[in-house]
Amino acid sequence: MEQLLPIVIREYNVFKQYIKELYKQTPIQEYTRSFDVFDTAVLVSILCVSGLWALRNLKFPNRDYNQSLFGYFKAQIFLFLVNYCPGVNSYIEKKKQDALQSFSDSMEKMTTKKTLKLPDNGIDTDTMMEKLEEWIERDSKNYGSGKVSGSLYVMPDKQFIKNAQDFCKHFLYSNPMHADLWPATRQMEAEVIRMTGDLFGQEKESIGIVTTGGTESILLAMLAYRNWGESQKGISQPNIVIPETAHAAFYRAGEYFKIQVRIAKIDQSTFQVDVNDLRSQIDSNTVCIVGSLPNFGFGTCDPIEQLASIAKKKKIGLHIDACLGGFTAIFAKEHGVDLGKFDFTLDGVTSISCDQHKHGLAPKGVSTVLFKTKQLREHAFFSIATWSGGAYASPSVQGSKCGVGVAGAWFTLQSIGKKKYIEYSKKIMDATQSLAKQLSEIPEIKVCGKPQINCVTFMSKENWLNVYSIHEILTHQGWTISSVQKPAGIHISLTQQNIGNLKQYVHDIKAAIDKIKANPSEYQKGGEMGTLYGTTQKIPDSKLAGQALKVYLDSLLKI
Ligand SMILES: *Cc1c(COP(=O)(O)O)cnc(C)c1O
């Protein structure tokens, strides 16, 4: 040490001398020689003031967690051009108006005589009933065609549907918020939670909330985790880590409740979440992770048992999205299919969303979110004791609500019963696996992952085959199926309504492929869906791309 120090000091002095020499030779020296303290002070103040102005007035939106730095700057430059370049904004406005017009035109085709004002005198019931008959007659040709993906899940049994309608109509004016006035809907609500929780491993007591649908169930679960993280762990900037294939409702929860959404990659051969990627994105601000059973887009299930062990180890929540698959998967073991553990009997699972209005076969407007503990559920509840209108508390997003949703679920669960559910579940799972097998035998396409529960998605294996063209051709043949992206695929969600037509589905897909093969250049662009995804994927800012989609909502709400 004693020898080292003089050497270091000597070397430092040599270095200083060298820099000084270098500085003397630079032209900057010419300018700085006449610079005095006053000049320096003025310059520093100008820099400070302009720096402060820039900090206050230039807005740089946050980078999305999974957005690359390059992608972020590309998006910022794009947004700058859109907002500040003369002509660009008005060009985009015009394109939006064109899109609105085209959406409105297609809505117009399905619109009958319009009402723009409250009629002076009420219309008589006979006239209204005539109109109703006309509407039912027309619409049922669409939703009841048996060539529709998802949407209508109940079995095509007219008597059953009529019975459900007869039961439910008595609750149109009910309001379960007033439990004292409508004790029946209160009881049905608690029983729907009890029966559903029992199916998912809550043997002694079920802890849940009845909601209007899967989206609300997921929103409430994410709200619970956010509030839990804040109160138990002091997390003020929460995040959740979800598979890229998780439902849009999780992104909505992120937007509504200011939770950062981190997206874990999907394995491109199994179409399950890449568990390592998911694990690597968890940090001390993570409140929960998510697994789908199955996901909507590809119909594949995430490895729930692995996710549960991660959640347990990290002491965070695990939400199972069984909105779509719940009422199919839960009966699988009863007809001899082992899907592994995914309910509350698996340590690590802390909440489950499950829709009665999908494979629960109930009328629309009802889902259940189940929680492992009452403490967690409490974080989703809303209450205010000091409100001027009186002490107020309600379990879900709604205040006043209609009892029809819960009545529909209660009637359906009671009247179908376990044995029939097992039968229906078997039919759907068998059909799913058989469809996947038949599609995998078509050489030009590939089934995404291993669909087991109730949806099947396929993608193209050939360069000349734009899979969206198959969608286009099938749409012209009366099919209403979905197109998915990342990767481009065609999805069908199997229901009691469409499983009878799957032979036709496979046949029509084969015929469409032959048609495209005969004339590939005509089908290169993939029709309307190909154009839509092509355009939105080219817009560098995903939020702006999303905003363009809102034009569609404008057209829905316009008469
Ligand atoms: C349908 C669905 C949801 C959302 O349910 P809604 O009832 O449409 O709000 C959530 N997750 C999955 C996997 C779904 O298929």
Side-chain angles (χ1 to χ4, degrees):
M1 192 67 196
E2 275 157 34
Q3 292 146 354
L4 206 64
L5 207 59
I7 299 172
V8 172
I9 290 172
R10 196 185 70 219
E11 287 301 315
Y12 174 73
N13 281 331
V14 171
F15 178 67
K16 202 162 87 179
Q17 206 53 40
Y18 170 73
I19 293 289
K20 272 187 173 170
E21 288 297 319
L22 208 67
Y23 177 67
K24 265 190 202 140
Q25 287 163 22
T26 61
I28 296 173
Q29 235 256 331
E30 294 299 312
Y31 298 104
T32 52
R33 192 177 294 151
S34 57
F35 230 70
D36 61 15
V37 178
F38 182 76
D39 293 331
T40 315
V42 169
L43 191 66
V44 168
S45 328
I46 290 174
L47 282 176
C48 284
V49 169
S50 49
L52 280 176
W53 179 88
L55 272 181
R56 282 179 71 105
N57 293 294
L58 293 180
K59 285 197 186 70
F60 285 100
N62 282 340
R63 176 152 62 107
D64 284 346
Y65 181 76
N66 295 76
Q67 196 175 23
S68 71
L69 205 58
F70 175 67
Y72 177 74
F73 281 118
K74 209 164 78 173
Q76 292 312 308
I77 292 167
F78 177 77
L79 286 177
F80 179 82
L81 290 176
V82 169
N83 289 326
Y84 297 106
C85 268
V88 177
N89 207 339
S90 56
Y91 173 78
I92 289 184
E93 254 334 290
K94 186 176 171 318
K95 282 274 165 202
K96 270 191 181 172
Q97 282 312 316
D98 291 350
L100 178 62
Q101 195 57 49
S102 128
F103 284 136
S104 301
D105 288 348
S106 66
M107 302 288 162
E108 202 77 1
K109 284 187 202 133
M110 295 285 234
T111 309
T112 49
K113 189 168 160 271
K114 295 178 185 176
T115 308
L116 304 178
K117 268 192 189 152
L118 184 66
D120 283 337
N121 298 303
I123 314 283
D124 66 281
T125 309
D126 285 348
T127 314
M128 301 255 265
M129 287 303 170
E130 256 171 51
K131 182 112 182 161
L132 177 66
E133 289 301 326
E134 192 188 310
W135 276 345
I136 292 175
E137 161 85 13
R138 183 197 61 188
D139 293 3
S140 59
K141 287 198 188 110
N142 302 330
Y143 62 72
S145 70
K147 293 167 99 177
V148 178
S149 167
S151 315
L152 179 66
Y153 292 80
V154 68
M155 49 287 181
D157 174 344
K158 284 206 174 95
Q159 188 57 48
F160 178 83
I161 294 173
K162 187 172 179 309
N163 294 347
Q165 286 168 334
D166 284 345
F167 185 86
C168 289
K169 68 185 181 197
H170 299 285
F171 299 96
L172 271 169
Y173 293 92
S174 70
N175 185 355
M177 194 160 139
H178 298 281
D180 48 346
L181 304 178
W182 281 278
T185 52
R186 203 264 342 141
Q187 183 175 347
M188 285 193 288
E189 194 159 325
E191 287 181 0
V192 165
I193 294 170
R194 186 70 196 97
M195 286 186 273
T196 311
D198 177 59
L199 291 172
F200 284 90
Q202 296 187 320
E203 276 170 17
K204 292 207 190 80
E205 185 186 19
S206 300
I207 304 161
I209 302 175
V210 171
T211 67
T212 51
T215 298
E216 193 187 347
S217 290
I218 289 169
L219 286 176
L220 286 179
M222 296 305 110
L223 179 66
Y225 289 115
R226 190 198 72 174
N227 292 347
W228 165 80
E230 192 174 19
S231 81
Q232 299 300 306
K233 295 182 161 188
I235 294 173
S236 58
Q237 294 188 311
N239 70 63
I240 55 177
V241 190
I242 67 169
E244 191 179 10
T245 46
H247 195 266
F250 293 96
Y251 297 84
R252 188 197 289 250
E255 207 171 296
Y256 281 8
F257 305 137
K258 299 265 176 271
I259 303 169
Q260 185 187 62
V261 178
R262 301 183 171 185
I263 302 158
K265 284 196 209 99
I266 295 304
D267 181 304
Q268 291 299 310
S269 64
T270 63
F271 283 80
Q272 295 180 307
V273 71
D274 175 338
V275 176
N276 290 328
D277 188 48
L278 181 136
R279 190 194 288 112
S280 73
Q281 299 194 48
I282 297 174
D283 64 14
S284 57
N285 285 331
T286 303
V287 290
C288 90
I289 57 175
V290 170
S292 309
L293 190 95
N295 61 65
F296 171 82
F298 300 94
T300 49
C301 297
D302 293 312
I304 305 294
E305 291 181 11
Q306 288 182 50
L307 295 178
S309 88
I310 294 176
K312 210 175 133 206
K313 212 187 269 163
K314 304 264 183 192
K315 298 196 169 61
I316 54 178
L318 167 61
H319 180 81
I320 305 300
D321 179 9
C323 283
L324 181 59
F327 274 94
T328 312
I330 207 70
F331 298 111
K333 60 176 178 294
E334 311 271 359
H335 51 82
V337 180
D338 183 16
L339 295 170
K341 275 189 175 183
F342 54 79
D343 61 13
F344 290 109
T345 57
L346 176 62
D347 215 6
V349 173
T350 48
S351 59
I352 299 173
S353 51
C354 172
D355 290 359
Q356 279 81 14
H357 73 190
K358 283 188 176 163
H359 285 280
L361 309 172
K364 278 286 176 280
V366 61
S367 163
T368 303
V369 55
L370 299 163
F371 295 93
K372 176 139 181 137
T373 64
K374 282 208 182 105
Q375 288 82 349
L376 186 57
R377 178 175 69 176
E378 208 179 291
H379 287 294
F381 283 163
F382 176 77
S383 64
I384 174 161
T386 52
W387 179 43
S388 63
Y392 182 105
S394 97
S396 64
V397 173
Q398 295 181 296
S400 289
K401 63 180 178 185
C402 176
V404 163
V406 71
W410 190 87
F411 173 85
T412 308
L413 291 169
Q414 293 276 337
S415 78
I416 292 182
K418 192 165 173 178
K419 283 197 179 135
K420 268 272 164 14
Y421 271 118
I422 295 169
E423 213 176 279
Y424 290 138
S425 156
K426 180 166 167 44
K427 267 194 188 170
I428 290 283
M429 285 185 67
D430 286 350
T432 302
Q433 286 160 26
S434 142
L435 176 64
K437 184 163 174 294
Q438 291 175 65
L439 292 179
S440 68
E441 284 160 5
I442 303 177
E444 294 88 353
I445 57 175
K446 183 181 156 214
V447 173
C448 301
K450 190 175 160 221
Q452 280 179 294
I453 314 280
N454 49 25
C455 337
V456 182
T457 298
F458 66 87
M459 56 197 262
S460 165
K461 277 206 284 198
E462 310 287 344
N463 280 335
W464 54 264
L465 179 60
N466 186 329
V467 83
Y468 296 140
S469 294
I470 301 179
H471 182 269
E472 178 91 347
I473 294 172
L474 289 185
T475 304
H476 284 306
Q477 290 173 350
W479 288 95
T480 305
I481 46 174
S482 314
S483 50
V484 299
Q485 48 182 341
K486 302 179 188 179
I490 304 297
H491 150 118
I492 188 165
S493 168
L494 275 64
T495 66
Q496 303 293 339
Q497 299 271 337
N498 66 23
I499 47 175
N501 286 328
L502 295 180
K503 236 192 193 147
Q504 185 69 39
Y505 183 56
V506 175
H507 171 272
D508 288 355
I509 290 170
K510 284 183 182 159
I513 294 173
D514 288 343
K515 199 168 172 185
I516 298 166
K517 205 183 225 167
N519 201 349
S521 59
E522 194 187 318
Y523 292 102
Q524 206 60 47
K525 288 223 172 83
E528 253 176 50
M529 280 303 153
T531 314
L532 174 73
Y533 290 138
T535 314
T536 51
Q537 282 168 8
K538 264 189 221 133
I539 300 177
D541 184 66
S542 62
K543 288 203 187 90
L544 197 79
Q547 239 146 36
L549 271 188
K550 290 181 182 171
V551 171
Y552 168 70
L553 302 181
D554 286 339
S555 75
L556 286 186
L557 303 177
K558 185 178 153 209
I559 192 80

